[in-house]
Amino acid sequence: MDFQHLEGTGVALVTPFKKNLDVDYEALKGLLDFTAKGGVDYFVVQGTTGEAATTSIEEKHEILNFVLNNNTQKLPVVYGLGGNNTRALVRQIQQTHLSDVSALLSVNPYYNKPSQNGIIAHYKTLADASPVPLILYNVPGRTASNMTAETTLELADHPNIIGIKEASGNWEQILNILKNKPKDFMVISGDDLLAPAIYALGGTGVISVLANVAPHLFQQIRQGFETSDLEQVREATNQLLPLNPLMYEESNPVGVKAALHILGICTPFVRLPLVHASEALTRKIAAQIKI
């Protein structure tokens, strides 16, 4: 398998909203253009940062179709489709037009807290049902269950599972996956600040929150590794360092939407149960928006 078109930076697109919390497609078009010109390599639609938990199935389809139809640079598109009801997800896969989608990104089942065997059976069922390849997404901080290295490596042998977005923060686990994975299986950083280390250890890139705001810095990190310019990598990473924790201080995507509002790209509004950034957080983010 060759999925080089999904190497580098995938931007985990926010879903811009109007004040009445309808999707703001004009702002979404602006965000697509801004991040593409900034050097991202592919779009990730309706992941956690896109507030997939509070968009309807109809909205998800509309947002995906809008991105596909307004993708002026023809970047690859990865579509987020995950949950904790395996049968319902299979139906969603069957009911979604995926011919122009490069891969699905599917989060480890949350709330149910399945065993590792349950996680394996869940993902194999989705991969068998999907007409496009599947990227696993391990984020224990949100799902309350971790996908172990052994589970990931077993799933990596499935012909329709091509990679993992790893956001466990468990370096021993990540290193075990990198050491023992099949050659073409992609390990993608789910943490913006760990992207340089993932590149250095043989990973393929990052699916990034901050690439909504500073896509050029992630382009510089990738180019730095490609040209062995580690000083460029350090400089770009250091610019991200003070802004990164602010993205999560009041939960993602509250911080990144506040940053995008400061840049004039979209409103700061999020859907309940999230609320938009406090004045205190907005001031801290504004003090760092000079990248």
Side-chain angles (χ1 to χ4, degrees):
M1 294 184 294
D2 181 7
F3 294 99
Q4 287 186 343
H5 61 299
L6 295 178
E7 293 182 357
T9 303
V11 55
L13 292 165
V14 306
T15 301
F17 295 131
K18 300 176 183 177
K19 191 172 183 179
N20 67 359
L21 298 183
D22 287 345
V23 178
D24 186 341
Y25 286 103
E26 182 178 351
L28 180 55
K29 175 65 166 63
L31 180 63
L32 294 175
D33 293 341
F34 174 75
T35 53
K37 290 175 182 175
V40 302
D41 298 289
Y42 59 99
F43 295 127
V44 179
V45 180
Q46 282 295 282
T48 304
T49 307
E51 293 179 76
T54 54
T55 54
S56 68
I57 290 177
E58 293 76 18
E59 286 175 322
K60 294 178 197 301
H61 291 170
E62 290 171 2
I63 292 164
L64 174 61
N65 290 333
F66 184 87
V67 172
L68 291 169
N69 292 328
N70 290 272
N71 182 5
T72 57
Q73 295 198 26
K74 305 302 179 187
L75 297 181
V77 173
V78 172
Y79 182 50
L81 207 165
N84 61 349
N85 183 335
T86 310
R87 293 180 68 188
L89 283 174
V90 168
R91 289 195 295 271
Q92 285 187 50
I93 290 171
Q94 294 168 343
Q95 294 167 3
T96 304
H97 185 66
L98 296 171
S99 62
D100 295 320
V101 171
S102 293
L104 295 179
L105 176 68
S106 195
V107 70
N108 200 30
Y110 46 80
Y111 190 76
N112 310 52
K113 298 181 73 174
S115 67
Q116 296 301 303
N117 285 338
I119 292 170
I120 290 167
H122 169 84
Y123 275 121
K124 285 184 175 180
T125 300
L126 297 186
D128 288 344
S130 178
V132 298
L134 197 69
I135 299 172
L136 315 172
Y137 179 17
N138 187 34
V139 55
R142 285 187 176 271
T143 63
S145 63
N146 177 55
M147 184 159 41
T148 66
E150 292 76 15
T151 292
T152 299
L153 293 168
E154 178 169 342
L155 288 168
D157 287 331
H158 191 288
N160 206 32
I161 296 177
I162 62 170
I164 183 168
K165 176 185 176 183
E166 243 294 348
S168 68
N170 183 330
W171 270 113
E172 183 176 358
Q173 176 169 295
I174 295 168
L175 287 169
N176 274 321
I177 296 169
L178 286 163
K179 176 184 177 183
N180 297 303
K181 70 180 183 66
K183 180 181 178 182
D184 294 330
F185 185 79
M186 299 185 300
V187 177
I188 304 164
S189 178
D191 183 318
D192 287 357
L193 292 184
L194 297 186
I198 293 289
Y199 275 122
L201 293 166
T204 54
V206 60
I207 293 178
S208 167
V209 173
L210 271 173
N212 284 278
V213 176
H216 62 290
L217 293 179
F218 290 92
Q219 183 186 51
Q220 289 173 22
I221 289 169
R222 182 182 184 184
Q223 290 176 342
F225 275 106
E226 289 175 348
T227 60
S228 298
D229 187 346
L230 295 185
E231 184 57 33
Q232 177 174 309
V233 173
R234 281 192 292 269
E235 288 178 2
T237 305
N238 287 340
Q239 288 185 65
L240 293 169
L241 186 59
L243 193 57
N244 187 70
L246 302 180
M247 297 300 96
Y248 309 98
E249 187 170 304
E250 295 179 4
S251 193
N252 183 39
V254 171
V256 69
K257 278 194 165 180
L260 288 168
H261 181 55
I262 292 164
L263 292 174
I265 294 172
C266 71
T267 72
F269 301 122
V270 291
R271 287 180 176 173
L272 290 170
L274 298 179
V275 294
H276 64 78
S278 65
E279 290 185 10
L281 177 59
T282 302
R283 285 194 298 270
K284 287 191 280 188
I285 292 171
Q288 299 297 332
I289 296 291
K290 50 192 176 185
I291 55 180

